[in-house]
Amino acid sequence: MTNSGEPQWELDDEFKTLTITFPTDPPVAFVLDATSVSNLIEGAGQIRAEMPPPHDENWEGGQMVDAVLDPRWYSESDALLGDSLLHIRDPRFGWLHYALTRESARALGTLLILQADDVPADKEGHHRKN
C-alpha cells in the first residue's frame, strides 16, 4: 500500500468486484460488486450536487474531453408537461436522464441537424449555450 493519502482502487482479476482501500491506520477496505459500485456512484453524485463549490454552470467549447462515442439514447415526451425527456446511456454511469423544455429541445434539435449537415449554426460555430 502506498502512502499517497489517496484511496487505492483495484478491480479483481474476474472484473466482478472493486476493492477500495483507504490509507487509514489500520487501512480500511471495502469490497463492492457492480450493483454496490452503481449505488455508491449514485449516492455520491446526489451528495456532490449539494456540496460547494458547485460544478461550473457554463461550458466553454473547444476543451479536450473523454467523450463516449455514439452512446445509446432514447427520447420521449414527459407525460405531465409535454417537455422532452432525453435518456443517454453512459457506460460509466448507466442511464442519465434530462428534462428539456420545448424551447431547449427545439434549439438542440436544430443545432444537431445543422452539425449533422455541416452547416454553420451562427458566427460562433457549431455550438449553442443554453
Side-chain angles (χ1 to χ4, degrees), residues 68-91:
V68 174
L69 180 61
D70 201 17
R72 292 187 60 95
W73 58 269
Y74 183 86
S75 183
E76 61 187 316
S77 292
D78 177 85
L80 187 59
L81 301 175
D83 291 337
S84 291
L85 295 177
L86 179 60
H87 314 280
I88 300 176
R89 184 186 175 277
D90 187 303

Side-chain angles (χ1 to χ4, degrees), residues 21 25 28 37 55 59 73 78 81 83 88 105 111:
T21 305
D25 188 20
V28 173
V37 170
H55 289 291
W59 178 259
W73 58 269
D78 177 85
L81 301 175
D83 291 337
I88 300 176
L111 181 60

Side-chain angles (χ1 to χ4, degrees), residues 56 58-65 127 129:
D56 290 338
N58 296 308
W59 178 259
E60 294 300 324
Q63 299 179 54
M64 294 290 291
V65 296
H127 63 275
K129 294 180 181 178

Side-chain angles (χ1 to χ4, degrees), residues 108-128:
L108 178 59
T110 300
L111 181 60
L112 290 173
I113 290 168
L114 290 171
Q115 290 172 341
D117 292 343
D118 198 26
V119 176
D122 56 32
K123 65 181 182 226
E124 295 178 345
H126 294 342
H127 63 275
R128 176 189 180 273

